[in-house]
Amino acid sequence: MEPGELRLPLSGWLLRIARGSADRPALEVHSPAGLIDVSVVGTLSVSPLRGGRHSGRSARRWSLAWGQLPPGADVVEASFRGWRRSLSVQAYTVADAFWVAEVGDRFRSVTCSAGTTRTTGRVVKEPRPRGS
């Protein structure tokens, strides 16, 4: 792997730190299907929760979520919720501007809490890999 890259252990997805406009940090999220999301640090409107995906019906079960740290926050708690259970984890901070959380089961939604900010979103099935 290159410097500035992080391979997620359960999903195998790749996070890459890049540079956006005005030399601002950017987070690229790559799945086996290709580039899924690019988030550039912004000061006007921060999207604390950018996305959430799960493994679908494959034998290897996982869910993940990612986003941008809101101003003044340095820790994010991600609470994954499913049909009959939930799981809360502290997210991993990436490049002091972004976060990612990955857990070893499938969930339907995720709520991220950072400082006074709380956002909930759906966790959807990962896209199919290219060529399948």
Side-chain angles (χ1 to χ4, degrees), residues 4 6 14-20 24-30 35 37-41 50 66-68 94-95 97-100:
L6 172 66
L14 179 70
L15 304 180
R16 185 175 289 145
I17 301 304
R19 289 284 163 202
R24 295 176 295 170
L27 177 70
E28 297 178 357
V29 179
H30 297 263
L35 181 64
D37 186 35
V38 176
S39 178
V40 179
V41 169
R50 296 280 303 181
W66 67 93
Q68 186 176 329
V94 180
F98 307 98
W99 63 270
V100 63

Side-chain angles (χ1 to χ4, degrees), residues 8 11 13 15 27 29 37 48-54 62-68 76-80 89 91-92 94 98-103 109-112 119 121-124:
L8 299 177
S11 63
W13 284 34
L15 304 180
L27 177 70
V29 179
D37 186 35
L49 176 61
R50 296 280 303 181
R53 299 288 191 273
H54 67 72
W62 54 263
S63 295
L64 67 90
W66 67 93
Q68 186 176 329
V76 172
E77 181 177 294
S79 298
F80 291 87
V89 297
Y92 179 74
V94 180
F98 307 98
W99 63 270
V100 63
E102 185 179 49
V103 294
S109 69
V110 64
T111 299
C112 69
T119 307
R122 290 191 58 204
V123 178
V124 298

